[in-house]
């Protein structure tokens, strides 16, 4: 299959792309978080094609993207008040909410679960495409399974060219890590994946929110509640270690490792420390005072390390306040929770 690539801005006519979706084809498109790989959420064959194109296990449910609040009616009759309050505060935006679904939504889309994950993205191209494509687009991140999520159309082309009908190039995304996922189907809302919308931001609107305890540390027998968080994705090809502790200890220990390591090394660090490393390919993620820059650069840096054949990655750690929690969750997952505490205690 030849993959057509089109450039788009907010005024581009997306009728043709919408037709592809309606006919059961796949279109990758920009959102504010990462690029998504879209198909008609109500067409089980489209969802099967999404799994096949990504090489993704089919028990890992997809997020259904909508463009209007009225679209909720076809998804659920059991919509909690908290969804409306959070939608009012954060939609369109980087928040996915899980609720009980209606039987019409094919199990191919929801991985056989009785719940559905829903998001209204904050991106003009995404919103136009959803409308042109019939209102309900199932879309995981548009990377091959196991690769970092795409923040540029070229990342999508690298992973999925020849496997999907179209890629809409809307330039670099704004946020760079996937949406926050909050499960509203149980007693107490629970964050299944941290993102740009933090626990504190959610709590200000709906009161107490729990966080899946397996997201930030390796737990004995602990299983993340979102199926997709169980796989070691966001994974670079090289080995990766994260160093915690006082900043000067971290840079000293990474320099020590760099000097003794014979394999090709990469360093992921903040702007402030970038000049301190003596060897290796240095990728600065951004200033520690600007966690949104750090979030935007993580996946791109990991892909660049892959492209350059980096075999060992050393990463600094970041404070887990606010957006830092989502940043550290992605780094920890990329490293398979391989952490070295430079203070010596475990
Ligand atoms: O920012 C985003 O959310 C991007 C853009 C394209 O919107 N999409 C995205 O989709 O990250 P994906 O498929 O890569 O991640 C969806 C996550 C997976 O971890 C999946 O297991 C979880 O959401 N998920 C989806 N439906 C669920 C459900 N009903 N219950 C629990 N987890 C669910
Ligand atoms: Mg993904």
């Amino acid at each position: 299959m030849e993959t057509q690539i089109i450039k788009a801005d907010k005024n581009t006519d997306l009728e043709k792309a919408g037709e592809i979706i309606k006919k059961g084809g796949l279109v990758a498109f920009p959102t504010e978080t990462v690029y998504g790989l879209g198909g008609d959420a109500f067409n089980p064959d489209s969802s099967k094609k999404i799994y096949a194109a990504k090489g993704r296990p089919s028990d890992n449910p997809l997020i259904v993207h909508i463009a209007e609040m009225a679209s909720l009616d076809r998804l659920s009759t059991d919509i909690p008040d908290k969804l409306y309050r959070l939608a009012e505060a954060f939609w369109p935006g980087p928040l996915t909410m899980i609720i009980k679904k209606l039987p019409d939504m094919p199990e191919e889309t929801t991985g056989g679960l009785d719940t559905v994950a829903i998001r209204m993205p904050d991106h003009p191209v995404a919103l136009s495409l959803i409308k042109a494509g019939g209102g309900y687009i199932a879309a995981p991140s548009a990377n091959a399974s196991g690769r970092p999520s795409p923040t540029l159309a070229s990342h999508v082309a690298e992973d999925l060219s020849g496997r999907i009908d179209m890629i809409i190039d809307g330039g670099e995304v704004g946020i760079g890590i996937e949406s926050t996922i909050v499960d509203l189907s149980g007693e107490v809302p629970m964050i299944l994946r941290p993102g740009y919308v933090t626990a504190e931001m959610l709590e200000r609107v709906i009161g107490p929110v729990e966080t899946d305890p397996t997201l930030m540390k390796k737990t004995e027998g602990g299983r993340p509640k979102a199926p997709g968080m169980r796989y070691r994705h966001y994974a670079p090809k090289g080995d990766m270690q994260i160093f915690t502790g006082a900043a000067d200890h971290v840079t000293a220990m990474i320099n020590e490792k760099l000097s003794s390591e014979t394999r090709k090394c990469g360093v992921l660090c903040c702007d402030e420390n970038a000049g301190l490393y003596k060897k290796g390919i240095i990728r600065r993620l951004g200033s520690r005072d600007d966690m949104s820059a750090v979030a935007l650069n993580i996946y791109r840096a990991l892909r660049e390390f892959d492209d350059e054949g980096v075999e060992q990655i050393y990463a600094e750690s970041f404070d887990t306040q606010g957006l830092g929690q989502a940043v550290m969750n992605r780094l920890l997952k990329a490293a398979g929770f391989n952490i070295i505490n430079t203070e010596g205690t475990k």
Side-chain angles (χ1 to χ4, degrees):
M1 169 190 306
E2 195 178 332
T3 302
Q4 194 190 343
I5 302 182
I6 62 164
K7 288 245 180 239
D9 57 35
K10 60 181 185 308
N11 301 317
T12 307
D13 181 5
L14 294 169
E15 279 314 307
K16 190 169 167 229
E19 283 308 314
I20 294 176
I21 299 270
K22 283 186 191 160
K23 286 194 188 124
L26 303 185
V27 176
F29 61 99
T31 82
E32 80 280 36
T33 56
V34 298
Y35 274 77
L37 175 59
D40 178 359
F42 280 100
N43 182 343
D45 289 333
S46 298
S47 295
K48 283 188 198 153
K49 282 190 203 165
I50 290 176
Y51 291 114
K54 280 180 62 98
R56 169 170 172 143
S58 60
D59 63 350
N60 186 4
L62 308 175
I63 294 173
V64 178
H65 295 68
I66 58 173
E68 293 162 347
M69 288 303 284
S71 305
L72 289 170
D73 297 350
R74 255 186 94 191
L75 297 176
S76 183
T77 44
D78 194 3
I79 302 178
D81 180 52
K82 288 183 174 137
L83 179 141
Y84 290 109
R85 278 151 56 201
L86 290 173
E88 178 77 35
F90 301 113
W91 274 3
L95 177 67
T96 296
M97 296 190 254
I98 293 174
I99 58 174
K100 288 266 178 322
K101 78 172 183 87
L102 280 170
D104 274 10
M105 175 55 65
E107 60 178 37
E108 284 79 1
T109 303
T110 60
L113 299 175
D114 62 355
T115 51
V116 58
I118 313 168
R119 179 162 109 82
M120 190 188 291
D122 186 14
H123 193 292
V125 172
L127 292 168
S128 303
L129 178 71
I130 295 165
K131 286 181 191 158
Y136 301 87
I137 293 192
S141 48
N143 50 289
S145 195
R147 294 268 282 155
S149 291
T151 59
L152 291 166
S154 60
H155 297 162
V156 181
E158 258 167 51
D159 284 13
L160 300 177
S161 251
R163 300 171 149 258
I164 62 178
D165 299 282
M166 183 185 267
I167 298 171
I168 305 174
D169 182 351
E172 189 173 46
V173 299
I175 294 177
I177 53 175
E178 308 85 347
S179 61
T180 305
I181 301 180
V182 63
D183 185 354
L184 300 178
S185 70
E187 245 347 68
V188 183
M190 184 181 277
I191 295 178
L192 306 189
R193 179 173 73 184
Y196 187 83
V197 178
T198 63
E200 301 79 58
M201 289 159 78
L202 296 172
E203 286 187 335
R204 253 177 259 141
V205 180
I206 55 166
V209 170
E210 290 175 350
T211 299
D212 183 345
T214 64
L215 297 178
M216 303 306 285
K217 56 178 189 287
K218 205 172 191 160
T219 52
E220 273 311 311
R223 234 165 102 81
K225 295 198 172 12
M229 298 301 277
R230 288 174 203 148
Y231 305 102
R232 190 191 162 203
H233 58 159
Y234 321 128
K237 290 180 188 145
D239 292 330
M240 180 166 162
Q241 290 177 324
I242 299 176
F243 294 77
T244 61
D248 51 338
H249 292 183
V250 167
T251 46
M253 192 175 282
I254 292 179
N255 270 324
E256 213 176 288
K257 296 266 179 192
L258 286 169
S259 66
S260 61
E261 181 58 66
T262 52
R263 292 178 298 167
K264 193 164 188 182
C265 292
V267 178
L268 281 181
C269 60
C270 63
D271 285 356
E272 290 83 352
N273 294 345
L276 302 174
Y277 295 104
K278 302 199 168 69
K279 247 180 84 185
I281 300 173
I282 318 294
R283 282 281 173 275
R284 47 168 74 204
L285 294 174
S287 165
R288 279 184 189 272
D289 298 331
D290 183 7
M291 286 308 282
S292 47
V294 175
L296 180 57
N297 290 321
I298 288 178
Y299 287 144
R300 184 182 185 154
L302 291 175
R303 276 182 182 262
E304 285 170 0
F305 282 158
D306 281 356
D307 295 344
E308 293 178 77
V310 167
E311 296 160 286
Q312 174 67 54
I313 300 166
Y314 300 120
E316 295 179 354
S317 52
F318 291 83
D319 187 32
T320 55
Q321 285 302 305
L323 184 54
Q325 188 182 40
V327 164
M328 276 310 288
N329 167 261
R330 301 315 191 270
L331 287 176
L332 287 165
K333 285 208 63 184
F337 290 89
N338 188 352
I339 303 169
I340 294 182
N341 183 346
T342 61
E343 309 302 327
T345 49
K346 271 269 168 187

